Amino acid sequence: MFCLCLLWHTAAAEEIKSPNGQLRLQFALQADGVPTYRLTYKGRDVIKTSKLGFDLKNAPALTSGFAVAASQQRTFDETWTPVWGEVKTIRNHYNELAVTLTQAATSRTLRVRFRVFDDGLGFRYEFPKQDKLGHFVVKEERTQFALAGDHKAFWLPGDYDTQEYSTVTSNLSEVRGKMKDAVTGNASQTTFSPTGVQTPLMLKSKDGLYINIHEAALIDYSCLNLELNDQTFVLESHLTPDAVGDKGYLQTPTHSPWRTVVVSDRAGAILESKLILNLNEPTKYKDTSWIKPVKYVGVWWEMITGRSSWAYTDATNIKLDSVDYRTLKPNGKHAANTAHVKEYIDFAALHGFDAVLVEGWNTGWEDWFGQSKDYVFDFVTPYPDFDVQELHRYAASKNVKMMMHHETSGSARNYERHMDEAYKFMVDNGYNAVKSGYVGNILPRGEHHYGQWLVNHYLYAITKAADYKIMVNAHEAVRPTGLSRTYPNLIGNEAARGTEYESFGGNNADHTTILPFTRLMGGPMDYTPGIFQTKISVLNPQNKSFVHSTLARQLALYVTMYSPLQMAADLPEHYNQHLDAFQFIKDVAIDWDDTQVLEAEPGDYITIARKAKGKSSWFIGSTCDENGRTSTVNLRFLDRGKKYVATIYADARDAHYEKNPQAYAIRKVNVTSKSKLSQYCAPGGGYAISVVETTR
Amino acid sequence: MFCLCLLWHTAAAEEIKSPNGQLRLQFALQADGVPTYRLTYKGRDVIKTSKLGFDLKNAPALTSGFAVAASQQRTFDETWTPVWGEVKTIRNHYNELAVTLTQAATSRTLRVRFRVFDDGLGFRYEFPKQDKLGHFVVKEERTQFALAGDHKAFWLPGDYDTQEYSTVTSNLSEVRGKMKDAVTGNASQTTFSPTGVQTPLMLKSKDGLYINIHEAALIDYSCLNLELNDQTFVLESHLTPDAVGDKGYLQTPTHSPWRTVVVSDRAGAILESKLILNLNEPTKYKDTSWIKPVKYVGVWWEMITGRSSWAYTDATNIKLDSVDYRTLKPNGKHAANTAHVKEYIDFAALHGFDAVLVEGWNTGWEDWFGQSKDYVFDFVTPYPDFDVQELHRYAASKNVKMMMHHETSGSARNYERHMDEAYKFMVDNGYNAVKSGYVGNILPRGEHHYGQWLVNHYLYAITKAADYKIMVNAHEAVRPTGLSRTYPNLIGNEAARGTEYESFGGNNADHTTILPFTRLMGGPMDYTPGIFQTKISVLNPQNKSFVHSTLARQLALYVTMYSPLQMAADLPEHYNQHLDAFQFIKDVAIDWDDTQVLEAEPGDYITIARKAKGKSSWFIGSTCDENGRTSTVNLRFLDRGKKYVATIYADARDAHYEKNPQAYAIRKVNVTSKSKLSQYCAPGGGYAISVVETTR
């Protein structure tokens, strides 16, 4: 024991603090040359001493036997302007420690770079170019996050193929017991452990620390999961394997993604953190003028609910290269037909939406899923009742853009083969954004949605789209890690349960009080809010699901669920029944100069105020859990001396997400920076407020 | 016993014969509804009663419980003209039996289609479109070939990734004992059984029947291997699996490739068979005028032997997206430099060659192999010392084409991503043919060279090349199965040990007496003959290999190893030392109106005469094994009444493939259709003759 302590103390150790001094990062080599780090916040342990390293395939591990060859510290402070975002400018301010380690026995070098911000820690592994380490294969990354206790966790089952699980809220010690129920069915899923969880993992310690663990800048590397030791509360990295079980093929010089720990004793600070964006590289695009936030409607919810169909016929077993749709009987339920799409275009034009998404426009939907079908779509052949040229003309005449849909069915090779032609087809036909999808198991078979092969593919699709000035909103792709800073045409992802699950049995009523703390940490989500008719049976009598939200809360989501891509997901006929409430969706901005988190507690409530880009108006949204509450917010963020009219879209006193979801009330009040608003939120409810400057 | 016989006799049974009546194909259902077939030749068993069927994944097997629902017979007879070939026209004449089987318990239908030609049998499985069989996954094909005895076999170890083994000649009962030595190292190899062998499998029965088993029209299906039961001498199909162990993903309507049995009591008839071509579909291309046979030289042998290098530098660990070759020191051995390539162009122009192949022209060769490297080549970036535009100009001025080289290193996704740009680059720079390569393990990892995924890829590369009017010569790709009838821009493949192995320790002296009976059954091979300097140490003192062939036999190979793509593989400096012998390579045709096999015995000797396309001249080649022999051939194929001068390039009396390989003699004799020539072939030797009409 003495010996161990002695060595510990003589081992190399370094530390840096955050610019404000509240976070402290310590790096140390343990007795056997095992690199470790430790993170404290205001003197409290966030991450206790935790090991770093890698197991390699057919090569000695990079986990021990290290000595510190060099270490460097620096301070960085810059302010940059995102192409789109929650705020106008972002400050990137950190202190950095880079420790270069050499493993004498193998003459290999590994560098660990730590960046400590006021809101957390990012660190990554760097593998410099060197003689004894060129190409190498990761058997497993061995990064630990040793937590200080049995924190409350907002977690999803670890999985190589899906994030579409309900979030479980429990102590870490309860994960194992709750895992079985947590793993619900999905079109493609591969769990790996009874205590494996996903990132972003949101945690709250008994003494009130909010901790978020995720990764930043996931490029050409496998996506991170976390393996929980539920005795010690140590989380350890578990990467997504490839078809032969390997975790990553790397070549020096290279580096891992950043591993991120955002921490605060204030929940809102987690939501305000720009740490993950800051750890990504500045954009690589010279011209970003073609990238613009999009508010859209679409031919989608009517299929999700089962009223309409993606497929043009009820045939099965379709081969794209031989099918003749003229010989098949239309099923009469195909939504993506020219006349119907024109109705959406008319609606979009009337209400000032930028674009109309149409799913089910291209041939193959009769036989697209679950068969590991290679040539499943060609992305350029419309159904006979979908007139691409006419719709292009019609939409252009109404100043509305068309939004493309590329469902790949997980057949990644097929998508890549058709990608150039598909993007060119988009350009030729007036589409400047694409929603892509990866439903079902991946082809090449054995690969996973979150493995290096697909991570590489998703970015290939994004950068190739950029060649055509196309924006990408990829569903069922890997969860975002702030890449939109570098590739701002990545304007959306799914990577969690979106509104569609309201039609598949319903999301938990607290779902949207959690997502900003988990899924949204890495980037915006195409959550597709705005469902006014929350009883799905109105659209499809067979479907007994209901939206676990009041109507008023649906409005709030446009503010609380930040995205530069916002859909009004319901049908025009339902909006026409509530045009007064719909006014908020029309008015709400989708790009912002400022954002302030007014209230927040994960799993309970979130209230956020945002200032519209280049304008004086603000929008406030509040979402709460199944218990309801009264929200009290101070409007001190408004410009002093200015007068504003606040239009408040609120739950009625008798509103309830299940029993009375459409009960809302709209009222206008005059407000200033001195105003304080107290607003009732129904169970599963919330409110939305537009605050517009007035001269009266 | 009585019962079984009774059922057998009452079971459905059908038979058809070959047009000439010598082959008889019987189809029968066994008692338990197991489909079987049997093939006889002149009353002798070729294939004894053998089972047919499939094991499926997650579905009942298609192996038994069948009843005959329908059967149809027809006769087909047509004559077609190949774009290039051994003969001017090909007769496709067969009797056909199509048996439609239903499996009552599952309501599924399977059809077996047999075609009996005078030279053998082809049969395939057809899966009609049907309600109970749409998408399905093949666990294993269960096709038997029950041989009549312990035949002599010319075999290669069964393997999912390579055909580059030395052929073993042994009885079937000896396969197991000889397997271990037969499996020699390769850049990518996956054997699967101690009695697994490849196709084309050449067999000779004790009573003198020559039997060849292979497949035809391998499209979007896994390549066939054969599993030998060395007690019963039953061969059974063993398909190449994908990364998760499945053998094929199919969707009705579909069919298997043809399984082929070519049979004769005359060895030459095997070589003359056009059965495999006939079982392929007519060409899909409307215009084939751009497809032309090619005689070429190339910057290649000097790298294979180790004199020069593909790589421009001796650096290692190169990343294509960041390497700056201006900062690296050239190694001084890079063959593909502008000045040196011009020498090859000059040589090609001087001697009338069509094209010059250049390997090692593009960046990345410092770090291309064995690392499972994804982005290994970009196929469009030349090394600094290779001036593409200047060489394009120079070659065009000399009326010589450049031949492209695309080594993929097995990284199939990377090749597909760059394919359009790479082919466009070729068109822009005067290349109309590409030699592609798939050295090393496949990416996506877990896939095999001969699995459905790659089979699909190779054809994708061929059809996409056709869009650019590019001819393809794919090395390390799957063995050909007659696809060049349908896709005649597939002008060559490797798929066996070629001449390069003469520099890797040497091919067996009898190698070229076997290849036409095995590898060449499916299509032409880019064997790259014409090595005059057979001592490799002359090029590279470190390399002690020698070519296991006399110089005269090197000439013969241009006739015996049919290919529309023929290389003069040696260095110009070596040809300049033997311009008299080189004259044959200059003269020999590469496209033919007629072909006659004059002598043949697999493993011993082959003598073939071919008539040049559109001309009166003939060329004769003869290759023999390590024992030497005297070949006697009758020139009765010459036009009666015409006079010819035969120039005979023969081994000198003291020639020997090892001890005296360059000893040859050239003589001219006058010949007519009544002539008979007797010609000595040295051990590992042979001869070549050009027969030119004369008016003297």
Side-chain angles (χ1 to χ4, degrees):
Chain A
M1 185 57 118
F2 173 74
C3 176
L4 187 70
C5 290
L6 182 71
L7 283 165
W8 169 259
H9 288 296
T10 59
E14 303 233 16
E15 75 167 57
I16 50 171
K17 289 184 176 174
S18 59
N20 67 6
Q22 294 181 345
L23 280 86
R24 190 171 62 144
L25 178 280
Q26 295 167 287
F27 171 85
L29 281 181
Q30 286 188 352
D32 44 357
V34 173
T36 68
Y37 75 105
R38 180 183 173 212
L39 180 69
T40 61
Y41 173 82
K42 295 181 181 174
R44 289 137 75 184
D45 265 325
V46 180
I47 306 292
K48 298 194 297 180
T49 299
S50 296
K51 295 180 182 179
L52 300 164
F54 283 86
D55 286 337
L56 304 187
K57 186 177 182 184
N58 302 326
L62 288 165
T63 48
S64 63
F66 285 107
V68 172
S71 89
Q72 282 187 308
Q73 297 191 14
R74 66 165 185 153
T75 295
F76 187 84
D77 191 0
E78 68 164 7
T79 298
W80 58 280
T81 304
V83 175
W84 42 259
E86 297 177 87
V87 291
K88 189 171 185 179
T89 58
I90 296 174
R91 186 176 182 190
N92 184 12
H93 188 197
Y94 57 79
N95 290 322
E96 180 177 280
L97 167 66
V99 184
T100 303
L101 303 167
T102 51
Q103 194 182 44
T106 66
S107 300
R108 294 177 302 177
T109 297
L110 172 66
R111 184 176 298 127
V112 189
R113 187 178 301 275
F114 300 92
R115 291 182 180 168
V116 185
F117 302 78
D118 286 345
D119 53 353
L121 165 69
F123 64 93
R124 72 178 185 187
Y125 300 92
E126 298 178 354
F127 305 89
K129 190 162 178 175
Q130 53 194 291
D131 288 347
K132 299 296 185 185
L133 193 63
H135 294 268
F136 60 103
V137 182
V138 175
K139 204 157 122 192
E140 190 58 275
E141 182 181 322
R142 308 280 282 176
T143 301
Q144 292 183 342
F145 303 87
L147 302 173
D150 184 14
H151 300 339
K152 180 178 179 183
F154 301 84
W155 58 274
L156 304 179
D159 199 293
Y160 302 151
D161 284 294
T162 189
Q163 294 120 351
E164 296 182 10
Y165 292 118
S166 277
T167 305
V168 183
T169 304
S170 78
N171 288 340
L172 289 168
S173 57
E174 298 171 305
V175 167
R176 187 185 299 272
K178 291 179 180 289
M179 183 61 76
K180 198 182 156 198
D181 288 343
V183 179
T184 47
N186 193 274
S188 175
Q189 61 190 145
T190 311
T191 56
F192 59 86
S193 158
T195 54
V197 297
Q198 305 200 14
T199 77
L201 177 67
M202 187 65 210
L203 301 159
K204 184 180 181 185
S205 70
K206 302 279 183 289
D207 59 352
L209 277 192
Y210 298 89
I211 303 167
N212 183 284
I213 299 178
H214 189 36
E215 61 180 319
L218 172 61
I219 294 176
D220 204 21
Y221 196 92
S222 292
C223 175
L224 178 70
N225 281 283
L226 298 170
E227 176 67 84
L228 168 69
N229 181 326
D230 53 0
Q231 304 295 311
T232 61
F233 308 118
V234 173
L235 298 160
E236 187 161 319
S237 49
H238 177 106
L239 301 178
T240 306
D242 68 9
V244 297
D246 298 328
K247 301 295 184 90
Y249 279 68
L250 302 182
Q251 180 184 359
T252 61
T254 189
H255 54 76
S256 73
W258 296 93
R259 279 63 186 95
T260 61
V261 183
V262 179
V263 58
S264 179
D265 49 14
R266 184 173 64 85
I270 307 297
L271 302 181
E272 288 161 359
S273 173
K274 299 292 173 287
L275 181 147
I276 288 172
L277 280 177
N278 278 329
L279 288 169
N280 278 269
E281 295 294 314
T283 182
K284 294 184 181 299
Y285 302 150
K286 283 176 189 154
D287 173 21
T288 57
S289 62
W290 50 276
I291 302 169
K292 294 182 192 308
V294 182
K295 200 188 289 183
Y296 73 106
V297 295
V299 182
W300 173 73
W301 184 244
E302 56 184 290
M303 288 94 93
I304 288 288
T305 53
R307 175 195 267 194
S308 310
S309 69
W310 282 271
Y312 174 63
T313 79
D314 288 336
T316 55
N317 189 9
I318 292 286
K319 284 187 165 183
L320 280 192
D321 50 9
S322 59
V323 62
D324 181 356
Y325 278 100
R326 292 169 305 182
T327 67
L328 298 177
K329 183 170 165 256
N331 63 14
K333 297 192 304 171
H334 182 232
N337 66 77
T338 306
H340 192 50
V341 172
K342 282 185 178 178
E343 294 169 10
Y344 277 84
I345 294 171
D346 290 341
F347 183 82
L350 179 63
H351 295 291
F353 285 83
D354 301 305
V356 175
L357 165 73
V358 185
E359 296 202 4
W361 68 277
N362 58 327
T363 57
W365 285 91
E366 289 82 359
D367 183 25
W368 73 281
F369 174 71
Q371 302 290 358
S372 200
K373 187 179 181 180
D374 190 336
Y375 182 34
V376 56
F377 289 115
D378 73 1
F379 311 100
V380 296
T381 304
Y383 276 127
D385 59 347
F386 185 86
D387 187 335
V388 174
Q389 284 78 30
E390 169 59 14
L391 287 168
H392 179 197
R393 185 199 64 75
Y394 190 77
S397 77
K398 302 258 177 174
N399 202 23
V400 168
K401 279 278 178 190
M402 298 296 290
M403 190 179 294
M404 177 49 73
H405 183 229
H406 288 168
E407 175 55 51
T408 70
S409 194
S411 186
R413 177 173 73 175
N414 181 60
Y415 190 34
E416 293 198 10
R417 284 179 174 183
H418 292 87
M419 202 175 270
D420 268 304
E421 201 187 348
Y423 287 156
K424 187 169 182 312
F425 179 90
M426 285 179 59
V427 171
D428 291 346
N429 291 289
Y431 296 75
N432 69 339
V434 60
K435 173 182 176 181
S436 57
Y438 294 86
V439 174
N441 290 336
I442 292 296
L443 280 79
R445 281 179 276 275
E447 293 295 338
H448 295 290
H449 283 76
Y450 310 147
Q452 185 182 17
W453 189 264
L454 268 291
V455 165
N456 179 304
H457 164 84
Y458 305 131
L459 187 55
Y460 179 77
I462 292 164
T463 55
K464 211 170 223 315
D467 293 342
Y468 293 85
K469 301 194 173 178
I470 287 170
M471 297 181 281
V472 175
N473 164 25
H475 283 224
E476 297 90 22
V478 72
R479 43 195 170 273
T481 56
L483 283 184
S484 57
R485 180 181 181 191
T486 315
Y487 308 97
N489 66 321
L490 176 60
I491 53 168
N493 276 113
E494 186 182 43
R497 289 195 166 199
T499 295
E500 65 183 10
Y501 274 83
E502 302 287 11
S503 178
F504 306 159
N507 283 320
N508 293 339
D510 67 358
H511 190 50
T512 53
T513 70
I514 299 171
L515 281 179
F517 287 98
T518 54
R519 163 63 184 78
L520 268 61
M521 290 298 292
M525 177 172 179
D526 183 29
Y527 189 72
T528 70
I531 303 301
F532 281 13
Q533 180 43 266
T534 60
K535 281 176 63 179
I536 311 299
S537 60
V538 172
L539 291 100
N540 173 11
Q542 316 296 310
N543 190 332
K544 304 303 181 199
S545 299
F546 64 93
V547 180
H548 287 48
S549 165
T550 64
L551 190 152
R553 197 253 288 266
Q554 287 293 305
L555 303 180
L557 300 179
Y558 290 88
V559 182
T560 61
M561 298 282 286
Y562 167 69
S563 176
L565 180 74
Q566 289 286 14
M567 185 178 196
D570 208 343
L571 276 56
E573 64 200 68
H574 297 151
Y575 290 133
N576 286 334
Q577 292 163 14
H578 303 278
L579 285 173
D580 56 351
F582 186 58
Q583 188 63 42
F584 182 82
I585 300 180
K586 292 172 65 172
D587 291 343
V588 67
I590 47 176
D591 202 12
W592 311 97
D593 273 344
D594 196 11
T595 286
Q596 304 219 1
V597 180
L598 307 181
E599 304 177 300
E601 180 63 26
D604 294 342
Y605 54 84
I606 294 173
T607 307
I608 295 181
R610 301 190 198 268
K611 180 169 177 291
K613 175 82 90 186
K615 293 184 179 162
S616 60
S617 46
W618 286 74
F619 295 85
I620 303 170
S622 183
T623 176
C624 76
D625 66 11
E626 65 283 2
N627 298 314
R629 65 188 286 270
T630 295
S631 163
T632 303
V633 297
N634 196 309
L635 303 191
R636 68 170 70 99
F637 50 82
L638 295 177
D639 279 357
R640 282 169 181 244
K642 284 188 180 172
K643 294 179 181 174
Y644 299 83
V645 174
T647 306
I648 303 172
Y649 304 76
D651 293 322
R653 199 68 216 180
D654 59 348
H656 184 280
Y657 72 97
E658 181 173 7
K659 296 172 199 149
N660 196 17
Q662 290 186 318
Y664 62 88
I666 303 174
R667 69 181 201 278
K668 287 181 192 287
V669 293
N670 293 319
V671 296
T672 68
S673 62
K674 295 176 184 165
S675 302
K676 198 167 178 178
L677 288 176
S678 188
Q679 187 58 51
Y680 172 69
C681 302
Y687 62 87
I689 307 177
S690 66
V691 185
V692 179
E693 189 180 352
T694 179
T695 51
R696 280 180 304 160
Chain B
M1 186 58 115
F2 172 74
C3 175
L4 187 69
C5 289
L6 182 71
L7 283 165
W8 169 258
H9 288 297
T10 60
E14 303 235 17
E15 73 166 59
I16 51 171
K17 290 183 176 173
S18 59
N20 68 5
Q22 292 181 346
L23 279 87
R24 190 170 64 143
L25 177 281
Q26 294 167 289
F27 172 85
L29 281 181
Q30 285 188 353
D32 44 358
V34 172
T36 68
Y37 75 105
R38 179 183 172 215
L39 180 69
T40 61
Y41 173 82
K42 295 180 180 175
R44 289 138 73 184
D45 267 326
V46 180
I47 306 293
K48 298 195 297 180
T49 299
S50 296
K51 296 180 180 178
L52 299 164
F54 283 86
D55 287 338
L56 303 187
K57 185 178 181 182
N58 302 327
L62 288 165
T63 48
S64 64
F66 285 108
V68 172
S71 88
Q72 282 187 308
Q73 295 191 15
R74 68 166 184 152
T75 294
F76 187 84
D77 192 359
E78 69 164 6
T79 298
W80 58 281
T81 304
V83 175
W84 43 258
E86 297 178 89
V87 292
K88 188 172 185 178
T89 60
I90 294 173
R91 187 176 181 189
N92 184 11
H93 187 198
Y94 57 80
N95 291 321
E96 180 177 279
L97 167 65
V99 184
T100 303
L101 302 167
T102 52
Q103 193 180 45
T106 65
S107 302
R108 293 177 302 176
T109 296
L110 171 67
R111 185 176 297 128
V112 189
R113 188 177 301 275
F114 300 93
R115 289 181 180 169
V116 185
F117 303 77
D118 286 346
D119 52 354
L121 164 69
F123 64 93
R124 73 177 184 188
Y125 299 93
E126 298 178 355
F127 305 89
K129 190 163 179 175
Q130 53 194 289
D131 288 345
K132 299 295 184 186
L133 194 64
H135 293 268
F136 61 104
V137 182
V138 175
K139 203 156 123 191
E140 189 57 276
E141 181 181 323
R142 307 281 283 176
T143 302
Q144 292 183 342
F145 304 87
L147 302 173
D150 184 16
H151 301 340
K152 181 181 179 180
F154 301 85
W155 59 274
L156 304 179
D159 198 294
Y160 302 151
D161 284 294
T162 189
Q163 295 120 352
E164 296 183 9
Y165 292 119
S166 277
T167 305
V168 183
T169 304
S170 78
N171 288 339
L172 289 167
S173 57
E174 298 171 305
V175 167
R176 186 184 299 270
K178 291 179 180 290
M179 183 61 77
K180 197 181 156 199
D181 288 344
V183 180
T184 47
N186 193 274
S188 175
Q189 60 189 145
T190 312
T191 57
F192 59 86
S193 160
T195 55
V197 297
Q198 304 199 15
T199 80
L201 177 65
M202 187 66 209
L203 301 159
K204 184 182 181 183
S205 72
K206 301 281 185 290
D207 59 351
L209 277 190
Y210 298 90
I211 304 167
N212 182 285
I213 299 177
H214 189 36
E215 62 180 317
L218 172 61
I219 295 176
D220 204 21
Y221 195 93
S222 293
C223 175
L224 178 69
N225 280 285
L226 297 170
E227 177 66 82
L228 168 70
N229 181 324
D230 53 0
Q231 304 295 311
T232 62
F233 308 118
V234 173
L235 297 161
E236 188 161 318
S237 49
H238 178 105
L239 300 178
T240 306
D242 68 10
V244 297
D246 298 327
K247 301 297 185 90
Y249 279 69
L250 303 181
Q251 180 186 1
T252 62
T254 190
H255 53 75
S256 73
W258 295 94
R259 280 61 187 96
T260 62
V261 183
V262 179
V263 58
S264 179
D265 50 14
R266 185 174 62 84
I270 307 297
L271 301 182
E272 288 161 2
S273 173
K274 298 292 173 286
L275 183 146
I276 288 172
L277 281 178
N278 278 329
L279 288 169
N280 278 271
E281 296 294 312
T283 182
K284 295 187 179 299
Y285 302 150
K286 283 176 188 154
D287 172 22
T288 57
S289 63
W290 50 278
I291 302 169
K292 294 182 191 310
V294 182
K295 199 189 290 181
Y296 71 107
V297 294
V299 182
W300 173 74
W301 184 243
E302 56 185 289
M303 286 94 90
I304 288 287
T305 54
R307 174 196 268 195
S308 310
S309 69
W310 282 272
Y312 174 63
T313 78
D314 287 337
T316 55
N317 188 12
I318 291 287
K319 285 189 164 183
L320 281 193
D321 50 11
S322 60
V323 63
D324 181 355
Y325 277 100
R326 291 169 304 182
T327 67
L328 299 176
K329 185 169 163 254
N331 63 14
K333 297 194 304 171
H334 182 233
N337 66 77
T338 306
H340 191 49
V341 173
K342 282 187 176 177
E343 294 169 9
Y344 277 84
I345 293 172
D346 290 341
F347 183 80
L350 178 65
H351 295 292
F353 285 82
D354 302 305
V356 175
L357 165 73
V358 185
E359 297 200 3
W361 68 276
N362 57 326
T363 56
W365 285 93
E366 288 82 358
D367 182 25
W368 72 282
F369 173 71
Q371 304 288 0
S372 200
K373 186 178 181 180
D374 191 334
Y375 182 33
V376 57
F377 289 115
D378 74 1
F379 311 100
V380 295
T381 305
Y383 276 127
D385 60 345
F386 186 84
D387 186 335
V388 175
Q389 284 78 29
E390 168 60 13
L391 287 168
H392 179 198
R393 185 200 64 74
Y394 190 78
S397 77
K398 302 259 178 172
N399 201 25
V400 169
K401 279 278 179 191
M402 297 296 290
M403 190 179 293
M404 177 49 74
H405 183 229
H406 288 168
E407 175 56 51
T408 70
S409 194
S411 186
R413 177 173 72 174
N414 180 59
Y415 190 32
E416 293 198 9
R417 285 179 174 183
H418 291 87
M419 202 175 269
D420 268 303
E421 200 188 349
Y423 286 156
K424 186 166 182 311
F425 179 90
M426 286 178 61
V427 171
D428 291 346
N429 291 290
Y431 295 76
N432 68 340
V434 60
K435 174 181 175 180
S436 58
Y438 294 86
V439 174
N441 290 336
I442 292 295
L443 281 79
R445 283 177 275 274
E447 294 294 339
H448 295 289
H449 282 74
Y450 309 147
Q452 185 182 13
W453 189 265
L454 268 291
V455 165
N456 178 303
H457 164 84
Y458 305 131
L459 188 54
Y460 178 77
I462 292 164
T463 56
K464 210 168 223 317
D467 293 342
Y468 293 85
K469 301 195 174 180
I470 288 171
M471 299 181 280
V472 175
N473 163 26
H475 283 224
E476 297 91 22
V478 71
R479 43 195 169 272
T481 56
L483 283 184
S484 57
R485 182 182 178 189
T486 313
Y487 308 96
N489 66 320
L490 176 59
I491 53 168
N493 277 113
E494 186 181 44
R497 291 195 164 199
T499 295
E500 65 183 9
Y501 274 83
E502 302 287 13
S503 178
F504 306 159
N507 284 318
N508 293 339
D510 67 359
H511 191 50
T512 54
T513 70
I514 298 171
L515 281 179
F517 287 98
T518 54
R519 162 64 184 79
L520 269 61
M521 290 299 291
M525 178 171 176
D526 182 30
Y527 189 71
T528 69
I531 304 301
F532 281 12
Q533 179 46 266
T534 60
K535 281 176 66 176
I536 310 301
S537 60
V538 171
L539 290 100
N540 173 9
Q542 316 295 309
N543 190 331
K544 304 305 181 195
S545 299
F546 64 92
V547 181
H548 288 49
S549 164
T550 64
L551 190 153
R553 198 256 288 269
Q554 287 292 308
L555 302 180
L557 299 179
Y558 291 88
V559 182
T560 61
M561 299 281 288
Y562 167 69
S563 176
L565 179 74
Q566 289 285 14
M567 184 179 199
D570 209 344
L571 275 57
E573 65 199 68
H574 297 151
Y575 291 132
N576 286 333
Q577 292 163 13
H578 303 278
L579 285 173
D580 55 350
F582 186 58
Q583 188 64 40
F584 182 82
I585 300 179
K586 292 174 64 172
D587 292 343
V588 67
I590 49 176
D591 201 14
W592 311 97
D593 274 344
D594 197 10
T595 287
Q596 304 220 359
V597 180
L598 306 180
E599 304 176 302
E601 181 63 26
D604 293 344
Y605 53 84
I606 294 173
T607 308
I608 294 181
R610 304 191 197 265
K611 183 171 175 291
K613 176 82 90 184
K615 294 185 178 160
S616 61
S617 46
W618 287 74
F619 295 84
I620 303 170
S622 184
T623 176
C624 76
D625 66 11
E626 66 283 5
N627 299 315
R629 65 187 287 269
T630 295
S631 163
T632 303
V633 299
N634 196 308
L635 304 190
R636 67 169 71 97
F637 50 82
L638 296 177
D639 280 357
R640 280 167 183 244
K642 284 188 180 171
K643 293 178 180 174
Y644 298 83
V645 175
T647 306
I648 304 173
Y649 303 77
D651 292 322
R653 198 69 217 177
D654 59 348
H656 184 281
Y657 72 97
E658 181 173 5
K659 294 170 201 152
N660 196 15
Q662 291 187 317
Y664 62 89
I666 303 173
R667 68 183 201 277
K668 289 181 190 286
V669 295
N670 294 317
V671 295
T672 70
S673 63
K674 294 175 184 169
S675 301
K676 198 169 179 176
L677 289 176
S678 188
Q679 187 59 52
Y680 171 71
C681 301
Y687 60 85
I689 308 176
S690 66
V691 185
V692 179
E693 191 180 353
T694 179
T695 51
R696 282 177 305 163

